[in-house]
Amino acid sequence: MILTNIETVPGKTIVEHFGLVSGNTIRARHLGVDILAKLKNLIGGELRGYTKLLQDSRKEATERMTAQAEQLGANAIVNIRFATSSIAGGAAELYAYGTAVRVE
C-alpha cells in the first residue's frame, strides 16, 4: 500500500478512484503519564509519554484507514491528512483520512 500526502504518486498513474477512506482512534491520557508530564513541565523538555501516545494514535488510525482502502481494492492512498479534536476532558480523537485509489 502506497501512502502519500500529495495528490498523486510520482511515476504512477491513477487508474481507479475509490473515494474517501478514514480511520480514527480516541485515546485518553493515563494518570501516571499526566503526573510525569506535570513534573517534566517544571524542568522543561520533551513530554515522552504524550509523544508516544500520539505516535500510537497516528499508527492505529493509519492502519484502520489502510484496512478500509484494502477492502475497496485500492493499492494507494493519496492526499492523506491528520486531524485531532478534543472529545472530553482528558480524551482526544486522532482522525486520518485520504483518497483511496488504484495506481499502475
Side-chain angles (χ1 to χ4, degrees):
M1 179 69 65
I2 299 170
L3 304 176
T4 181
N5 63 346
I6 58 177
E7 295 179 3
T8 61
V9 178
K12 306 278 186 182
T13 302
I14 294 175
V15 295
E16 195 167 358
H17 177 270
F18 297 99
L20 178 70
V21 288
S22 63
N24 73 333
T25 184
I26 299 171
R27 298 277 178 118
R29 296 179 300 201
H30 180 277
L31 179 60
V33 172
D34 275 350
I35 291 170
L36 292 175
K38 287 183 184 188
L39 292 173
K40 189 74 173 181
N41 274 338
L42 297 174
I43 58 173
E46 181 180 9
L47 302 175
R48 292 179 191 215
Y50 289 157
T51 299
K52 182 171 182 347
L53 181 67
L54 283 174
Q55 287 173 337
D56 292 347
S57 297
R58 265 193 301 274
K59 182 176 182 229
E60 187 169 11
T62 301
E63 287 172 351
R64 289 176 178 173
M65 175 182 65
T66 301
Q68 186 181 10
E70 288 173 348
Q71 287 178 345
L72 295 171
N75 64 0
I77 303 173
V78 297
N79 210 21
I80 294 174
R81 300 289 185 262
F82 293 95
T84 59
S85 61
S86 178
I87 299 297
E93 176 189 36
L94 197 139
Y95 181 66
Y97 61 99
T99 303
V101 297
R102 188 166 61 83
V103 295
E104 292 180 350

Coordinates of all heavy atoms in Angstrom, one line a residue:
M1 N 0.9 -1.2 0.0 CA 0.0 0.0 0.0 C 0.9 1.2 0.0 O 1.8 1.4 0.9 CB -0.9 0.0 1.2 CG -1.8 1.2 1.4 SD -3.2 1.3 0.1 CE -4.2 -0.2 0.5
I2 N 0.7 2.1 -1.0 CA 1.4 3.4 -1.1 C 0.6 4.4 -0.3 O -0.6 4.6 -0.5 CB 1.6 3.8 -2.5 CG1 2.4 2.7 -3.3 CG2 2.3 5.1 -2.6 CD1 2.4 2.9 -4.8
L3 N 1.3 5.1 0.6 CA 0.6 6.2 1.4 C 1.4 7.5 1.1 O 2.6 7.5 1.2 CB 0.7 5.9 2.9 CG 0.1 4.6 3.3 CD1 0.3 4.4 4.8 CD2 -1.4 4.5 3.0
T4 N 0.7 8.5 0.7 CA 1.3 9.8 0.5 C 0.4 11.0 0.8 O -0.8 10.8 0.8 CB 1.7 9.9 -1.0 OG1 2.4 11.1 -1.2 CG2 0.6 9.8 -2.0
N5 N 1.0 12.1 1.2 CA 0.3 13.3 1.5 C 0.1 14.2 0.3 O -0.4 15.3 0.4 CB 0.8 14.0 2.7 CG 2.2 14.5 2.5 OD1 2.9 14.1 1.5 ND2 2.7 15.3 3.3
I6 N 0.6 13.8 -0.9 CA 0.4 14.6 -2.1 C -0.7 14.0 -2.9 O -1.1 12.9 -2.7 CB 1.7 14.8 -2.9 CG1 2.3 13.4 -3.3 CG2 2.8 15.5 -2.1 CD1 3.5 13.5 -4.2
E7 N -1.1 14.7 -3.9 CA -2.3 14.3 -4.7 C -2.1 13.2 -5.7 O -3.0 12.7 -6.3 CB -2.9 15.5 -5.4 CG -3.5 16.5 -4.4 CD -4.1 17.8 -5.0 OE1 -4.1 17.8 -6.3 OE2 -4.5 18.7 -4.3
T8 N -0.8 12.9 -6.0 CA -0.5 11.9 -7.0 C 0.6 11.0 -6.4 O 1.2 11.4 -5.5 CB -0.1 12.5 -8.3 OG1 1.1 13.3 -8.1 CG2 -1.1 13.4 -8.9
V9 N 0.9 10.0 -7.1 CA 2.0 9.1 -6.8 C 3.0 9.3 -7.9 O 2.8 8.9 -9.1 CB 1.7 7.6 -6.6 CG1 2.9 6.8 -6.3 CG2 0.6 7.5 -5.6
P10 N 4.2 9.9 -7.7 CA 5.1 10.2 -8.7 C 5.5 8.9 -9.5 O 5.8 7.9 -8.8 CB 6.3 10.8 -8.0 CG 5.7 11.4 -6.8 CD 4.6 10.5 -6.4
G11 N 5.5 9.0 -10.8 CA 5.9 7.8 -11.6 C 4.7 6.8 -11.8 O 4.9 5.8 -12.5
K12 N 3.6 7.1 -11.2 CA 2.4 6.2 -11.4 C 1.2 7.0 -11.9 O 1.2 8.2 -11.8 CB 2.0 5.6 -10.0 CG 3.1 4.9 -9.2 CD 3.3 3.5 -9.7 CE 4.3 2.8 -8.8 NZ 4.5 1.4 -9.3
T13 N 0.3 6.2 -12.5 CA -1.0 6.8 -13.0 C -2.1 6.3 -12.2 O -2.2 5.1 -12.0 CB -1.1 6.5 -14.5 OG1 0.0 6.9 -15.2 CG2 -2.4 7.1 -15.0
I14 N -3.0 7.2 -11.8 CA -4.2 6.8 -11.1 C -5.2 6.3 -12.1 O -5.6 7.0 -13.0 CB -4.8 8.0 -10.3 CG1 -3.9 8.4 -9.1 CG2 -6.2 7.6 -9.7 CD1 -4.3 9.6 -8.4
V15 N -5.6 5.0 -12.0 CA -6.5 4.4 -12.9 C -7.8 4.1 -12.4 O -8.8 3.8 -13.1 CB -5.8 3.0 -13.5 CG1 -4.6 3.3 -14.3 CG2 -5.6 2.1 -12.4
E16 N -8.0 4.2 -11.0 CA -9.3 4.0 -10.5 C -9.4 4.8 -9.1 O -8.4 4.8 -8.4 CB -9.6 2.5 -10.2 CG -11.0 2.2 -9.9 CD -11.3 0.7 -10.0 OE1 -10.3 -0.1 -10.3 OE2 -12.4 0.3 -9.7
H17 N -10.5 5.3 -8.9 CA -10.7 6.2 -7.7 C -11.8 5.6 -6.9 O -12.9 5.3 -7.4 CB -11.2 7.6 -8.2 CG -11.5 8.5 -7.2 ND1 -12.8 8.7 -6.7 CD2 -10.7 9.4 -6.5 CE1 -12.8 9.6 -5.7 NE2 -11.5 10.1 -5.6
F18 N -11.5 5.3 -5.6 CA -12.5 4.7 -4.7 C -13.1 5.6 -3.7 O -14.0 5.3 -3.0 CB -11.8 3.5 -3.9 CG -11.3 2.4 -4.8 CD1 -10.0 2.4 -5.2 CD2 -12.2 1.5 -5.3 CE1 -9.5 1.4 -6.0 CE2 -11.7 0.5 -6.2 CZ -10.4 0.4 -6.5
G19 N -12.6 6.9 -3.6 CA -13.2 7.8 -2.7 C -12.5 7.9 -1.4 O -11.4 7.4 -1.1
L20 N -13.2 8.6 -0.5 CA -12.7 8.9 0.9 C -12.5 7.6 1.7 O -13.5 6.8 1.8 CB -13.5 9.9 1.6 CG -13.1 10.3 3.0 CD1 -11.9 11.1 3.0 CD2 -14.3 11.0 3.7
V21 N -11.4 7.5 2.4 CA -11.2 6.4 3.4 C -10.7 7.1 4.6 O -10.1 8.2 4.6 CB -10.2 5.3 2.9 CG1 -10.8 4.5 1.9 CG2 -8.9 5.9 2.5
S22 N -11.0 6.5 5.8 CA -10.6 7.2 7.0 C -10.4 6.1 8.1 O -10.9 5.0 8.0 CB -11.7 8.2 7.5 OG -12.9 7.6 7.7
G23 N -9.7 6.6 9.1 CA -9.6 5.8 10.3 C -9.4 6.7 11.5 O -8.9 7.8 11.3
N24 N -9.9 6.3 12.6 CA -9.7 7.2 13.8 C -9.5 6.3 15.1 O -9.7 5.1 15.1 CB -10.9 8.1 14.0 CG -12.1 7.3 14.5 OD1 -12.3 6.2 14.2 ND2 -13.0 8.0 15.1
T25 N -9.1 7.0 16.1 CA -9.0 6.4 17.4 C -9.2 7.5 18.4 O -8.8 8.7 18.2 CB -7.6 5.7 17.6 OG1 -7.6 5.1 18.9 CG2 -6.4 6.7 17.5
I26 N -9.7 7.1 19.5 CA -9.9 8.1 20.6 C -9.1 7.6 21.8 O -9.3 6.4 22.2 CB -11.4 8.3 21.0 CG1 -12.2 8.8 19.8 CG2 -11.6 9.2 22.2 CD1 -13.7 8.8 19.9
R27 N -8.2 8.4 22.3 CA -7.4 7.9 23.4 C -7.5 8.9 24.6 O -7.7 10.1 24.4 CB -5.9 8.0 23.0 CG -5.6 7.1 21.8 CD -5.3 5.7 22.3 NE -5.0 4.8 21.2 CZ -3.9 4.1 21.1 NH1 -2.9 4.3 21.9 NH2 -3.8 3.3 20.1
A28 N -7.4 8.3 25.8 CA -7.4 9.0 27.0 C -6.0 9.0 27.6 O -5.3 8.0 27.4 CB -8.4 8.4 28.0
R29 N -5.7 10.0 28.3 CA -4.4 10.1 29.0 C -4.4 9.2 30.2 O -5.5 8.9 30.8 CB -4.1 11.5 29.5 CG -4.0 12.5 28.3 CD -3.8 13.8 28.8 NE -4.9 14.2 29.7 CZ -5.2 15.5 30.0 NH1 -4.5 16.5 29.5 NH2 -6.2 15.8 30.8
H30 N -3.3 8.7 30.5 CA -3.1 7.8 31.7 C -2.7 8.7 32.9 O -1.8 9.6 32.7 CB -2.0 6.8 31.3 CG -1.6 5.9 32.4 ND1 -0.8 6.2 33.4 CD2 -2.1 4.6 32.6 CE1 -0.7 5.1 34.2 NE2 -1.5 4.1 33.7
L31 N -3.2 8.5 34.0 CA -2.9 9.3 35.2 C -1.4 9.4 35.5 O -0.9 10.4 35.8 CB -3.6 8.7 36.4 CG -3.4 9.5 37.8 CD1 -3.9 10.9 37.7 CD2 -4.1 8.7 38.9
G32 N -0.7 8.2 35.3 CA 0.7 8.2 35.6 C 1.5 9.1 34.6 O 2.4 9.9 34.9
V33 N 1.0 9.1 33.3 CA 1.6 10.0 32.3 C 1.4 11.4 32.6 O 2.3 12.3 32.5 CB 1.1 9.6 30.9 CG1 1.5 10.6 29.9 CG2 1.5 8.2 30.5
D34 N 0.2 11.7 33.1 CA -0.2 13.1 33.5 C 0.7 13.6 34.6 O 1.2 14.8 34.6 CB -1.6 13.2 33.9 CG -2.5 13.4 32.7 OD1 -2.1 13.6 31.6 OD2 -3.8 13.3 32.9
I35 N 0.9 12.8 35.6 CA 1.8 13.2 36.7 C 3.2 13.4 36.3 O 3.8 14.5 36.6 CB 1.7 12.1 37.8 CG1 0.3 12.1 38.5 CG2 2.8 12.4 38.9 CD1 0.0 11.0 39.4
L36 N 3.7 12.5 35.5 CA 5.1 12.7 35.0 C 5.2 13.9 34.1 O 6.2 14.7 34.1 CB 5.6 11.5 34.2 CG 5.8 10.2 35.1 CD1 6.1 9.0 34.2 CD2 6.9 10.4 36.1
A37 N 4.2 14.2 33.3 CA 4.2 15.4 32.4 C 4.2 16.7 33.2 O 4.9 17.6 32.8 CB 3.0 15.3 31.4
K38 N 3.4 16.7 34.3 CA 3.4 17.9 35.1 C 4.8 18.1 35.8 O 5.2 19.3 35.9 CB 2.3 17.8 36.1 CG 1.0 18.0 35.5 CD -0.2 17.9 36.4 CE -1.4 18.0 35.6 NZ -2.6 18.2 36.1
L39 N 5.4 17.1 36.2 CA 6.8 17.2 36.7 C 7.8 17.7 35.7 O 8.6 18.5 35.9 CB 7.2 15.9 37.3 CG 6.5 15.4 38.6 CD1 6.9 14.0 39.0 CD2 6.7 16.4 39.7
K40 N 7.6 17.1 34.5 CA 8.5 17.5 33.4 C 8.3 19.0 33.0 O 9.3 19.6 32.6 CB 8.2 16.6 32.2 CG 9.2 16.7 31.1 CD 10.5 16.1 31.4 CE 11.5 16.1 30.2 NZ 12.7 15.5 30.5
N41 N 7.1 19.5 33.1 CA 6.8 20.9 32.8 C 7.7 21.8 33.7 O 8.0 22.9 33.3 CB 5.3 21.2 33.0 CG 4.6 20.9 31.8 OD1 5.1 20.8 30.7 ND2 3.3 20.7 31.9
L42 N 8.0 21.3 34.9 CA 8.8 22.2 35.8 C 10.2 22.3 35.3 O 10.8 23.4 35.5 CB 8.8 21.5 37.2 CG 7.4 21.5 37.9 CD1 7.6 20.7 39.2 CD2 6.8 22.8 38.1
I43 N 10.8 21.3 34.7 CA 12.2 21.4 34.3 C 12.3 21.5 32.8 O 13.4 21.8 32.3 CB 12.9 20.1 34.7 CG1 12.3 18.9 34.2 CG2 13.0 20.1 36.3 CD1 13.1 17.6 34.5
G44 N 11.2 21.4 32.0 CA 11.3 21.5 30.5 C 11.7 20.2 29.9 O 12.1 19.3 30.5
G45 N 11.6 20.2 28.5 CA 12.0 19.1 27.7 C 10.8 18.4 27.1 O 9.6 18.8 27.3
E46 N 11.1 17.3 26.4 CA 10.0 16.6 25.7 C 9.2 15.8 26.7 O 9.6 15.2 27.6 CB 10.7 15.6 24.7 CG 9.6 14.8 23.9 CD 10.3 13.8 23.0 OE1 11.5 13.6 23.0 OE2 9.5 13.2 22.2
L47 N 7.9 15.8 26.4 CA 6.9 15.0 27.2 C 6.7 13.7 26.5 O 5.9 13.5 25.7 CB 5.6 15.8 27.3 CG 5.6 17.2 27.9 CD1 4.3 17.9 27.9 CD2 6.2 17.1 29.3
R48 N 7.6 12.8 26.8 CA 7.7 11.5 26.1 C 6.5 10.7 26.2 O 6.1 10.0 25.2 CB 8.9 10.7 26.6 CG 10.2 11.4 26.2 CD 11.4 10.6 26.7 NE 12.6 11.5 26.5 CZ 13.8 11.1 26.2 NH1 14.0 9.8 26.0 NH2 14.7 11.9 26.0
G49 N 5.8 10.7 27.3 CA 4.6 10.0 27.4 C 3.5 10.4 26.4 O 2.8 9.6 25.8
Y50 N 3.4 11.7 26.3 CA 2.4 12.3 25.3 C 2.9 12.0 23.9 O 2.1 11.8 23.0 CB 2.2 13.8 25.5 CG 1.4 14.1 26.8 CD1 1.6 15.3 27.4 CD2 0.6 13.2 27.4 CE1 0.9 15.7 28.5 CE2 -0.1 13.5 28.5 CZ 0.0 14.7 29.1 OH -0.7 15.0 30.2
T51 N 4.2 12.1 23.7 CA 4.7 11.8 22.3 C 4.4 10.4 21.9 O 3.9 10.2 20.8 CB 6.2 12.0 22.3 OG1 6.5 13.4 22.6 CG2 6.8 11.7 20.9
K52 N 4.6 9.4 22.8 CA 4.3 8.0 22.5 C 2.8 7.8 22.3 O 2.4 7.1 21.4 CB 4.8 7.1 23.6 CG 4.5 5.7 23.3 CD 5.2 4.7 24.3 CE 5.0 3.3 23.9 NZ 4.0 2.9 23.0
L53 N 2.0 8.5 23.1 CA 0.5 8.4 22.9 C 0.1 8.9 21.5 O -0.7 8.2 20.9 CB -0.2 9.3 24.0 CG -1.7 9.3 24.0 CD1 -2.2 7.9 24.4 CD2 -2.2 10.3 25.0
L54 N 0.7 10.0 21.1 CA 0.3 10.5 19.7 C 0.8 9.6 18.6 O 0.2 9.3 17.6 CB 0.8 11.9 19.5 CG 0.0 13.0 20.2 CD1 0.7 14.3 20.1 CD2 -1.4 13.0 19.7
Q55 N 2.1 9.1 18.8 CA 2.6 8.1 17.8 C 1.7 6.9 17.7 O 1.4 6.4 16.6 CB 4.0 7.7 18.2 CG 5.0 8.8 18.0 CD 6.4 8.5 18.5 OE1 6.5 7.6 19.4 NE2 7.4 9.1 18.0
D56 N 1.3 6.3 18.8 CA 0.5 5.1 18.8 C -0.9 5.4 18.2 O -1.4 4.6 17.4 CB 0.3 4.6 20.2 CG 1.5 4.1 20.8 OD1 2.5 3.8 20.1 OD2 1.6 3.9 22.1
S57 N -1.4 6.6 18.4 CA -2.7 7.0 17.9 C -2.6 7.2 16.4 O -3.5 6.7 15.6 CB -3.2 8.3 18.5 OG -3.4 8.2 19.9
R58 N -1.6 7.8 15.9 CA -1.4 8.0 14.4 C -1.2 6.6 13.7 O -1.9 6.4 12.7 CB -0.1 8.8 14.1 CG -0.4 10.3 13.9 CD 0.8 11.0 13.4 NE 2.0 10.9 14.2 CZ 2.2 11.7 15.2 NH1 1.5 12.7 15.5 NH2 3.3 11.6 15.9
K59 N -0.5 5.7 14.4 CA -0.3 4.4 13.8 C -1.6 3.7 13.7 O -1.9 3.1 12.7 CB 0.7 3.6 14.6 CG 1.0 2.3 14.1 CD 2.1 1.6 14.9 CE 2.4 0.2 14.3 NZ 2.4 -0.9 15.2
E60 N -2.4 3.7 14.8 CA -3.7 2.9 14.8 C -4.6 3.5 13.8 O -5.3 2.8 13.0 CB -4.3 3.0 16.2 CG -5.5 2.1 16.3 CD -5.9 1.9 17.7 OE1 -5.4 2.6 18.6 OE2 -6.8 1.0 17.9
A61 N -4.8 4.9 13.7 CA -5.7 5.5 12.8 C -5.3 5.2 11.3 O -6.1 4.9 10.5 CB -5.7 7.0 13.0
T62 N -4.0 5.2 11.1 CA -3.5 4.9 9.7 C -3.7 3.5 9.3 O -4.1 3.2 8.2 CB -1.9 5.2 9.6 OG1 -1.7 6.6 10.0 CG2 -1.4 5.0 8.3
E63 N -3.5 2.6 10.3 CA -3.8 1.2 10.0 C -5.3 0.9 9.7 O -5.7 0.2 8.8 CB -3.4 0.3 11.2 CG -1.9 0.2 11.3 CD -1.5 -0.5 12.6 OE1 -2.3 -0.8 13.5 OE2 -0.3 -0.8 12.7
R64 N -6.2 1.6 10.4 CA -7.6 1.5 10.1 C -8.0 2.1 8.8 O -8.8 1.5 8.0 CB -8.4 2.1 11.3 CG -8.3 1.4 12.6 CD -9.0 2.0 13.7 NE -8.9 1.2 14.9 CZ -9.3 1.6 16.1 NH1 -9.8 2.8 16.3 NH2 -9.2 0.8 17.1
M65 N -7.4 3.2 8.4 CA -7.6 3.8 7.1 C -7.1 2.9 6.0 O -7.8 2.7 5.0 CB -6.9 5.2 7.1 CG -7.0 5.9 5.7 SD -6.1 7.4 5.7 CE -4.4 6.9 5.9
T66 N -6.0 2.3 6.2 CA -5.4 1.4 5.2 C -6.2 0.2 5.0 O -6.4 -0.3 3.9 CB -3.9 1.1 5.6 OG1 -3.2 2.3 5.7 CG2 -3.3 0.2 4.6
A67 N -6.7 -0.4 6.1 CA -7.6 -1.6 6.0 C -8.8 -1.3 5.2 O -9.3 -2.1 4.4 CB -7.9 -2.0 7.4
Q68 N -9.4 -0.1 5.4 CA -10.6 0.3 4.6 C -10.3 0.4 3.2 O -11.0 -0.1 2.3 CB -11.1 1.6 5.2 CG -12.4 2.0 4.5 CD -13.0 3.4 5.0 OE1 -12.3 4.1 5.8 NE2 -14.2 3.7 4.7
A69 N -9.1 1.0 2.8 CA -8.7 1.1 1.4 C -8.5 -0.3 0.8 O -8.9 -0.5 -0.4 CB -7.5 2.0 1.3
E70 N -7.9 -1.2 1.5 CA -7.6 -2.5 1.0 C -8.9 -3.3 0.7 O -9.0 -4.0 -0.3 CB -6.8 -3.3 2.0 CG -5.3 -2.9 2.0 CD -4.5 -3.5 3.1 OE1 -5.1 -4.1 4.0 OE2 -3.3 -3.3 3.1
Q71 N -9.9 -3.1 1.6 CA -11.2 -3.7 1.4 C -11.9 -3.2 0.1 O -12.6 -3.9 -0.6 CB -12.2 -3.4 2.5 CG -11.8 -4.2 3.8 CD -12.7 -3.8 5.0 OE1 -13.4 -2.8 4.9 NE2 -12.7 -4.7 6.0
L72 N -11.6 -2.0 -0.3 CA -12.1 -1.4 -1.5 C -11.4 -1.8 -2.8 O -11.8 -1.6 -3.9 CB -12.2 0.1 -1.5 CG -13.1 0.7 -0.4 CD1 -12.8 2.2 -0.2 CD2 -14.5 0.4 -0.7
G73 N -10.2 -2.4 -2.6 CA -9.4 -2.9 -3.7 C -8.3 -1.8 -4.1 O -7.7 -2.0 -5.2
A74 N -8.1 -0.8 -3.3 CA -7.1 0.2 -3.6 C -5.7 -0.3 -3.3 O -5.5 -1.2 -2.5 CB -7.4 1.4 -2.8
N75 N -4.7 0.2 -4.0 CA -3.3 -0.1 -3.7 C -2.5 1.2 -3.3 O -1.3 1.1 -3.1 CB -2.6 -0.8 -4.8 CG -2.5 0.0 -6.1 OD1 -3.0 1.2 -6.1 ND2 -1.9 -0.5 -7.1
A76 N -3.3 2.3 -3.1 CA -2.6 3.5 -2.7 C -3.6 4.5 -2.0 O -4.8 4.4 -2.3 CB -2.0 4.3 -3.9
I77 N -3.2 5.3 -1.1 CA -4.0 6.4 -0.6 C -3.2 7.7 -0.8 O -2.1 7.8 -0.4 CB -4.3 6.1 0.9 CG1 -4.9 4.8 1.2 CG2 -5.2 7.3 1.5 CD1 -5.1 4.4 2.6
V78 N -3.9 8.6 -1.4 CA -3.2 9.9 -1.7 C -3.9 11.0 -0.9 O -5.0 10.8 -0.4 CB -3.3 10.2 -3.2 CG1 -2.5 9.2 -4.0 CG2 -4.7 10.3 -3.7
N79 N -3.2 12.1 -0.8 CA -3.7 13.3 -0.1 C -4.1 13.0 1.3 O -5.1 13.5 1.8 CB -4.9 13.8 -0.9 CG -5.0 15.3 -0.7 OD1 -4.0 16.0 -0.4 ND2 -6.2 15.9 -1.0
I80 N -3.3 12.2 2.0 CA -3.5 11.9 3.4 C -3.4 13.1 4.3 O -2.4 13.9 4.2 CB -2.6 10.7 3.9 CG1 -2.9 9.5 3.1 CG2 -2.7 10.5 5.4 CD1 -1.9 8.3 3.4
R81 N -4.3 13.2 5.3 CA -4.3 14.3 6.3 C -4.6 13.7 7.6 O -5.3 12.6 7.7 CB -5.4 15.3 5.9 CG -5.2 16.0 4.6 CD -4.0 16.9 4.6 NE -3.8 17.7 3.3 CZ -3.0 17.3 2.3 NH1 -2.3 16.2 2.4 NH2 -2.9 18.0 1.3
F82 N -4.2 14.4 8.7 CA -4.5 14.0 10.0 C -5.2 15.2 10.7 O -4.8 16.3 10.5 CB -3.2 13.7 10.8 CG -2.5 12.4 10.3 CD1 -1.5 12.5 9.4 CD2 -2.9 11.2 10.8 CE1 -0.9 11.3 8.9 CE2 -2.3 10.0 10.3 CZ -1.3 10.1 9.4
A83 N -6.1 14.9 11.6 CA -6.8 15.9 12.4 C -6.9 15.4 13.8 O -7.1 14.2 14.0 CB -8.1 16.3 11.7
T84 N -6.9 16.4 14.7 CA -7.2 16.0 16.1 C -8.3 16.8 16.6 O -8.6 18.0 16.2 CB -6.0 16.2 17.0 OG1 -5.6 17.6 16.9 CG2 -4.8 15.4 16.6
S85 N -9.0 16.3 17.6 CA -10.1 17.1 18.3 C -10.2 16.6 19.7 O -10.0 15.4 20.0 CB -11.4 17.0 17.5 OG -11.8 15.6 17.5
S86 N -10.7 17.4 20.6 CA -10.9 17.1 21.9 C -12.3 16.5 22.1 O -13.3 17.1 21.6 CB -10.8 18.3 22.8 OG -11.0 17.9 24.2
I87 N -12.4 15.3 22.6 CA -13.7 14.6 22.8 C -14.3 14.9 24.1 O -15.5 15.2 24.3 CB -13.6 13.1 22.5 CG1 -13.1 12.8 21.1 CG2 -14.9 12.4 22.8 CD1 -14.0 13.3 20.0
A88 N -13.5 14.8 25.2 CA -13.9 15.0 26.5 C -12.7 15.4 27.3 O -11.6 15.3 26.8 CB -14.6 13.8 27.1
G89 N -12.9 15.8 28.5 CA -11.7 16.1 29.3 C -10.7 15.0 29.4 O -11.1 13.9 29.9
G90 N -9.5 15.2 28.9 CA -8.5 14.2 29.0 C -8.6 13.1 27.9 O -7.8 12.2 27.9
A91 N -9.5 13.3 26.9 CA -9.6 12.3 25.8 C -9.6 13.1 24.5 O -10.2 14.2 24.4 CB -10.8 11.5 25.9
A92 N -8.9 12.6 23.5 CA -8.8 13.3 22.2 C -8.9 12.2 21.1 O -8.6 11.0 21.3 CB -7.5 14.0 22.1
E93 N -9.4 12.7 20.0 CA -9.5 11.9 18.8 C -8.4 12.2 17.8 O -8.1 13.4 17.6 CB -10.9 12.1 18.1 CG -11.0 11.3 16.8 CD -12.3 11.6 16.0 OE1 -12.6 12.8 16.0 OE2 -12.8 10.7 15.4
L94 N -7.8 11.2 17.2 CA -7.0 11.4 16.1 C -7.6 10.8 14.9 O -8.0 9.6 14.9 CB -5.6 10.8 16.3 CG -4.6 11.4 15.3 CD1 -3.3 11.6 16.0 CD2 -4.4 10.5 14.1
Y95 N -7.8 11.6 13.8 CA -8.5 11.1 12.6 C -7.6 11.2 11.4 O -7.0 12.3 11.2 CB -9.7 12.1 12.5 CG -10.6 11.8 11.3 CD1 -11.4 10.7 11.2 CD2 -10.7 12.7 10.2 CE1 -12.2 10.4 10.1 CE2 -11.6 12.5 9.2 CZ -12.3 11.3 9.1 OH -13.1 11.1 8.1
A96 N -7.5 10.1 10.7 CA -6.7 10.1 9.5 C -7.6 9.9 8.3 O -8.5 9.1 8.4 CB -5.7 9.0 9.6
Y97 N -7.4 10.6 7.2 CA -8.2 10.5 6.0 C -7.5 10.7 4.8 O -6.4 11.4 4.8 CB -9.5 11.3 6.1 CG -9.2 12.8 6.2 CD1 -9.3 13.6 5.0 CD2 -8.9 13.4 7.4 CE1 -9.1 15.0 5.1 CE2 -8.6 14.8 7.5 CZ -8.7 15.6 6.3 OH -8.5 16.9 6.4
G98 N -7.9 10.2 3.7 CA -7.3 10.3 2.4 C -8.2 9.8 1.3 O -9.3 9.4 1.6
T99 N -7.7 9.8 0.1 CA -8.4 9.3 -1.1 C -7.8 7.9 -1.5 O -6.6 7.9 -1.8 CB -8.4 10.3 -2.2 OG1 -8.9 11.5 -1.7 CG2 -9.2 9.8 -3.4
A100 N -8.6 6.9 -1.5 CA -8.2 5.6 -1.9 C -8.2 5.5 -3.5 O -9.2 5.9 -4.1 CB -9.1 4.5 -1.4
V101 N -7.1 5.0 -4.0 CA -7.0 4.9 -5.5 C -6.3 3.6 -5.8 O -5.7 3.0 -5.0 CB -6.2 6.1 -6.1 CG1 -7.0 7.4 -5.9 CG2 -4.8 6.2 -5.6
R102 N -6.4 3.3 -7.1 CA -5.5 2.2 -7.6 C -4.6 2.8 -8.7 O -5.0 3.6 -9.5 CB -6.3 1.1 -8.3 CG -5.5 -0.1 -8.7 CD -6.4 -1.4 -9.0 NE -7.2 -1.1 -10.1 CZ -6.9 -1.3 -11.4 NH1 -5.6 -1.6 -11.7 NH2 -7.7 -1.0 -12.4
V103 N -3.3 2.6 -8.5 CA -2.3 3.2 -9.4 C -1.6 2.1 -10.2 O -1.5 0.9 -9.7 CB -1.3 4.0 -8.6 CG1 -2.0 5.2 -8.0 CG2 -0.5 3.2 -7.6
E104 N -1.1 2.4 -11.3 CA -0.3 1.5 -12.1 C 0.9 2.2 -12.6 O 1.0 3.4 -12.8 CB -1.1 1.0 -13.3 CG -2.2 0.1 -13.0 CD -3.0 -0.4 -14.2 OE1 -2.8 0.0 -15.3 OE2 -3.9 -1.3 -14.0

